[in-house]
């Protein structure tokens, strides 16, 4: 009996939905522990404790809104699909294509220099494009398929993924810190049956957030390194043995290839229309390369 590996990969989407429910459950437990059980009741007491509690609750909600906003954007946003009948062009046509790309108002010319061909999609593959066995399609500047967001991470939603990663790390770290005093008192209060349920919820929230904060720290550091060198997770293997990575344009330009040039939008899962028109890498079909490296 033959086993279809691609059907098995597609089944991982179900696991992704479970992961989203798990994230929602952790957010719910954390919210209840921080706002309702720990710092919410102190808001009306007055004095420094009330001010501190108010500050913690405000920061908690700001990070939570940014976290959920980024998560929704990375889940719902198409990571970048290859236009139908896209094909690479030969050297003789490159000048003509370059002119048409500059003249196109929407910037989505179906031909470009470089690329290959996908036997699964039976379509051209732009540079840095890879086929995802789970999504059953090619993804522009594919980084990886993330089961936590039930979506691929590619050219069009990589910024949203990085912000989701960052805000989740900051939120879990904050929850860990603000619940630490209650966690320390857990073993003494647990003997009191009236506060046993409250202590158990705080204990659970602390352990979950602490574990997530530690694991997310590794991913934050890893993706910060990839961002600084303009590399995707898939391309790490392609870079082995390469002296100069052709897409590495310097940290500032590498950052702008993902986050855009408008500084006021860097911390939000948004792009300015101007950046989408002027930075081809945000659309995923063309990427500038170093002048000292052969394309």
């Amino acid at each position: 009996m033959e086993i279809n590996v691609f059907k098995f990969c597609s089944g991982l989407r179900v696991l992704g939905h479970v992961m989203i429910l798990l994230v929602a459950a952790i957010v719910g437990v954390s919210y209840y522990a921080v706002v309702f059980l720990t710092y919410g009741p102190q808001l009306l007491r007055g004095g420094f404790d009330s001010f501190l509690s108010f500050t913690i609750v405000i920061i908690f909600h700001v990070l939570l809104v940014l976290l959920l906003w980024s998560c929704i954007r990375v889940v719902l946003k198409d990571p970048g699909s290859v236009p139908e009948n896209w094909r690479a062009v030969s050297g003789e046509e490159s000048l003509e294509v370059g002119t048409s790309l500059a003249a196109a108002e929407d910037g989505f010319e179906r031909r470009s220099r470089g690329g290959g061909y996908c036997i699964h999609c039976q379509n051209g593959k732009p540079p840095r494009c890879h086929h995802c066995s789970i999504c059953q399609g090619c993804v522009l500047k594919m980084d990886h398929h993330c089961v936590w967001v039930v979506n691929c991470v590619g050219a069009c939603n990589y910024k949203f993924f990085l912000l989701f990663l960052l805000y989740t790390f900051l939120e879990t770290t904050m929850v860990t810190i603000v619940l630490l005093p209650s966690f320390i008192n857990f073993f003494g209060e647990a003997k009191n049956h009236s506060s046993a349920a409250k202590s158990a919820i705080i204990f659970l929230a602390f352990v979950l957030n602490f574990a997530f904060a530690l694991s997310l720290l590794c991913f934050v550091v890893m993706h910060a390194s990839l961002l600084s060198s303009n590399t995707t997770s898939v391309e790490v293997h392609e870079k082995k043995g390469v002296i100069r990575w052709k897409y590495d344009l310097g940290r500032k330009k590498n950052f702008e290839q993902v986050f855009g040039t408008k500084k006021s939008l860097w911390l939000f899962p948004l792009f300015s229309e101007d950046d989408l028109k002027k930075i081809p890498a945000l659309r995923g079909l063309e990427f500038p390369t170093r002048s000292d490296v052969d394309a």
Side-chain angles (χ1 to χ4, degrees):
M1 188 172 102
E2 295 183 359
I3 299 176
N4 190 330
V5 178
F6 292 105
K7 284 186 177 180
F8 172 75
C9 292
S10 300
L12 290 177
R13 294 182 183 179
V14 177
L15 177 61
H17 289 89
V18 174
M19 294 296 191
I20 288 183
L21 293 176
L22 178 60
V23 171
I26 294 173
V27 170
V29 171
S30 301
Y31 192 93
Y32 187 72
V34 173
V35 178
F36 286 97
L37 296 182
T38 309
Y39 292 95
Q42 299 180 23
L43 293 177
L44 301 177
R45 293 182 180 179
F48 178 77
D49 289 343
S50 180
F51 174 77
L52 179 62
S53 298
F54 178 78
T55 303
I56 290 174
V57 170
I58 291 297
I59 296 175
F60 176 87
H61 279 90
V62 169
L63 289 176
L64 181 60
V65 169
L66 292 171
L67 184 162
L68 294 177
W69 187 8
S70 301
C71 179
I72 292 172
R73 289 287 279 158
V74 72
V75 169
L76 300 181
K77 179 66 177 177
D78 183 350
S81 302
V82 181
E84 188 178 357
N85 298 323
W86 185 95
R87 69 180 179 88
V89 298
S90 61
E92 291 78 10
E93 299 176 281
S94 61
L95 181 59
E96 175 189 346
V97 172
T99 303
S100 64
L101 281 171
E105 291 183 359
D106 60 1
F108 283 94
E109 171 64 40
R110 291 187 179 181
R111 296 183 297 163
S112 184
R113 286 160 289 190
Y117 185 80
C118 179
I119 60 174
H120 302 292
C121 299
Q122 296 185 347
N123 194 16
K125 288 176 64 177
R128 313 185 76 178
C129 176
H130 294 275
H131 185 85
C132 177
S133 301
I134 300 175
C135 294
Q136 296 290 298
C138 284
V139 178
L140 299 176
K141 194 189 173 185
M142 179 180 173
D143 187 88
H144 70 289
H145 184 94
C146 182
V147 294
W148 290 96
V149 298
V150 203
N151 199 4
C152 264
V153 177
C156 300
N157 66 352
Y158 187 45
K159 174 187 176 181
F160 309 152
F161 171 78
L162 292 180
L163 290 177
F164 173 54
L165 194 64
L166 174 64
Y167 290 132
T168 303
F169 169 70
L170 294 177
E171 182 82 326
T172 53
T173 300
M174 178 188 176
V175 172
T176 301
I177 293 173
V178 299
L179 290 183
L180 181 59
S182 299
F183 174 78
I184 294 175
N185 296 330
F186 166 77
F187 300 99
E189 294 182 356
K191 298 177 181 178
N192 185 351
H193 295 290
S194 61
S195 62
K198 171 184 173 180
S199 300
I201 293 174
I202 293 176
F203 178 86
L204 178 63
F206 176 88
V207 171
L208 289 174
N209 281 275
F210 180 67
F212 266 82
L214 285 180
S215 60
L216 286 171
L217 177 60
C218 301
F219 286 101
V220 169
V221 173
M222 180 188 76
H223 279 282
S225 175
L226 294 175
L227 177 65
S228 67
S229 61
N230 200 355
T231 311
T232 65
S233 300
V234 176
E235 292 170 340
V236 170
H237 301 286
E238 299 177 12
K239 283 182 62 178
K240 290 182 177 179
V242 176
I243 299 176
R244 294 186 182 91
W245 179 237
K246 62 182 178 179
Y247 298 114
D248 188 354
L249 308 177
R251 292 183 180 179
K252 182 176 182 294
K253 290 186 178 180
N254 292 343
F255 183 86
E256 292 175 348
Q257 294 281 300
V258 176
F259 282 79
T261 59
K262 197 171 182 63
K263 295 180 180 179
S264 60
L265 296 181
W266 282 353
L267 297 179
F268 302 100
L270 297 169
F271 287 113
S272 68
E273 291 295 330
D274 193 47
D275 279 343
L276 290 175
K277 291 179 181 178
K278 292 183 177 180
I279 305 178
L282 295 179
R283 301 190 298 269
L285 289 173
E286 268 204 322
F287 301 91
T289 56
R290 296 170 59 111
S291 59
D292 58 344
V293 178
D294 294 331

